[in-house]
Amino acid sequence: MDLGAAAPLALLLLACLACLALYLNGKQGGRGGKGRLPPGPTPLPLLGNLLQLDPNEMHRSLEKLGERFGPVYTVHLGSLPCVVLCGYQAVREALVEQADDFSGRGDFPVGTKAGGGLRRVSPSGGIAFSNGEKWKTLRRFALHALKNFGMGRRSIEVRIQEEAQCLVQEFRKTGGAPFNPLDLVCRAVSNVICAVVFGRRFDYEDAAFLVLLNHLNDNFRIMSSAWGELYNIFPRLMDFLPGPHHQIFRNFEKLRQFIAERIRQHQRDLNPREPQDFIDCFLVRMEQEKQDPLSHFHMETLVMTTHNLFFGGTETTSTTLRYSFLILMKHPEVAARVHEEIDRVIGPERTPCLADRKHMPYTDAVLYEVQRFISILPMGLPRAVTRDTPFRGYLLPKGTNVIPLLSSVHYDPSQFKDPTSFNPANFLGENNEFRSSDAFMPFAPGKRICLGAGLARMELFLFLVTILQRFTLRPLVSPAEIDLTPQSTGLGNVPRPFQLRLLPR
């Protein structure tokens, strides 16, 4: 079924079942307490501003409303009021300058239901969707554990280098024939986070591993479609309506079973004095706090946190790499300059390393520009204010949902010249030295910055440079025919399926 074409049917069903929505969603929206939210479009009962939004391109709709109502306004998603932040200044003021106030996790029903939260009194939740003291405790623990197992250190660089070489070997097997890089890229990227979380990599033909990745890809695609957006607006109603959104939770249950089985294996082999990976560390902490009724370390929390790390460490990086291939094929002059820099700094044989990055300003600028241009998570994950929060003359009551439009930051004309075009010069100085920007926010700034931001930056550089050191990317159509518009856009921007040829250099 075409997810985009089916969205109008879902909207019609939503309108026809408005009375049911009143019953099921009656307590879903609104926040207690007094406050003064910024103005925005007038909502309809139950539907909110849904008729003014395109679920297939939610962030574009919100950006257009921002042109009318300003950089800070309120939109109603169903009966839930959300404060939208548009542009660099508004997003920075909130997420960076008032980081503590905007550090809550907002409503995200897909993630909540995956953790059992729509039907359980006490949802298990992982690190991504927790709040309050639980989130702070889990985040501190995760940062410490991930650092111990190589995040940001030389050991993880070696792991990425080894996986990049494995990917190159698989690419060589294509013999220059056309192929879709989706599966192989996902396997390589996923194996890096697997080494940290599970303590091992998986063979590229491991049947269980392939099924796991298929479920991840499927979920990212559906969650980034109109069906995923509508579920997050009307979760209780959508539970009663047919559609591919139900597949998200069937897939998650299979992912949960996969993770739970690996945890059971870890329990059998655990040496508390020598934990080998993230799961071992969590199990040790569970044992230490098993008598503490206030402990946040439980089995279901471990399953969900492992899923959060695995999903976050696979989908965004692998999708960004595939977009990099498309963009470089559409702009062969950019690819040629990257090849020249690789040949000059690294040469044809030496394994690329992170130390090369400071000598490759153009390649670095290309990687930053790819991430800016595609805005892989255009709305980020929703935030919530942790207390009654004054902001730009308004008062946001504690718990108010906040949508930071990261795409509007990356396309802010006050920060980037001709932001709708792909141009690595956005990250180059007058002397062609690399120059970052405070408006570069692919990992969402502030207290909720992605745990794997550093790992993702390392992976993108080492994987792409290793591939381009060995191959030239060849499209099957002319560069002008390459379509960079997403196949779907919601939670993330998902590129259209494509094939390419890799020619040895």
Side-chain angles (χ1 to χ4, degrees), residues 200-269:
R200 56 163 293 192
R201 71 179 297 276
F202 292 87
D203 184 85
Y204 283 8
E205 301 305 320
D206 185 294
F209 183 50
L210 299 184
V211 170
L212 178 73
L213 294 180
N214 285 337
H215 294 328
L216 282 177
N217 290 332
D218 201 30
N219 273 4
F220 190 56
R221 178 181 59 84
I222 300 172
M223 291 165 67
S224 299
S225 72
W227 291 100
E229 292 296 332
L230 288 171
Y231 189 91
N232 280 324
I233 298 173
F234 298 105
R236 293 172 178 83
L237 177 57
M238 293 296 286
D239 277 339
F240 288 90
L241 299 181
H245 54 289
H246 295 289
Q247 188 63 39
I248 296 172
F249 308 110
R250 290 192 289 268
N251 287 343
F252 176 79
E253 179 56 26
K254 294 173 183 176
L255 290 166
R256 193 197 67 77
Q257 292 172 6
F258 178 92
I259 293 169
E261 175 56 31
R262 270 63 197 172
I263 292 173
R264 285 191 289 271
Q265 293 174 3
H266 278 67
Q267 287 177 307
R268 291 193 293 267
D269 301 332

Side-chain angles (χ1 to χ4, degrees), residues 59-60 63 85-88 91 375 378 404-413 416:
H59 72 286
R60 299 295 184 203
E63 288 172 1
L85 307 176
C86 294
Y88 167 71
V91 172
S375 288
L405 278 181
L406 302 182
S407 58
S408 71
V409 178
H410 290 157
Y411 279 64
D412 190 329
F416 301 102

Side-chain angles (χ1 to χ4, degrees), residues 16 70 309:
C16 293
L309 294 172

Side-chain angles (χ1 to χ4, degrees), residues 178-213:
F179 76 107
N180 184 333
L182 168 62
D183 291 338
L184 288 176
V185 169
C186 282
R187 294 171 202 178
V189 171
S190 183
N191 260 334
V192 176
I193 194 66
C194 283
V196 176
V197 175
F198 297 122
R200 56 163 293 192
R201 71 179 297 276
F202 292 87
D203 184 85
Y204 283 8
E205 301 305 320
D206 185 294
F209 183 50
L210 299 184
V211 170
L212 178 73
L213 294 180

Side-chain angles (χ1 to χ4, degrees), residues 22 53 85 95 151-152 311 374 397 399 417 475:
L22 177 61
L53 303 171
L85 307 176
L95 272 56
M151 296 278 274
F311 186 90
I374 65 173
K417 296 179 180 179

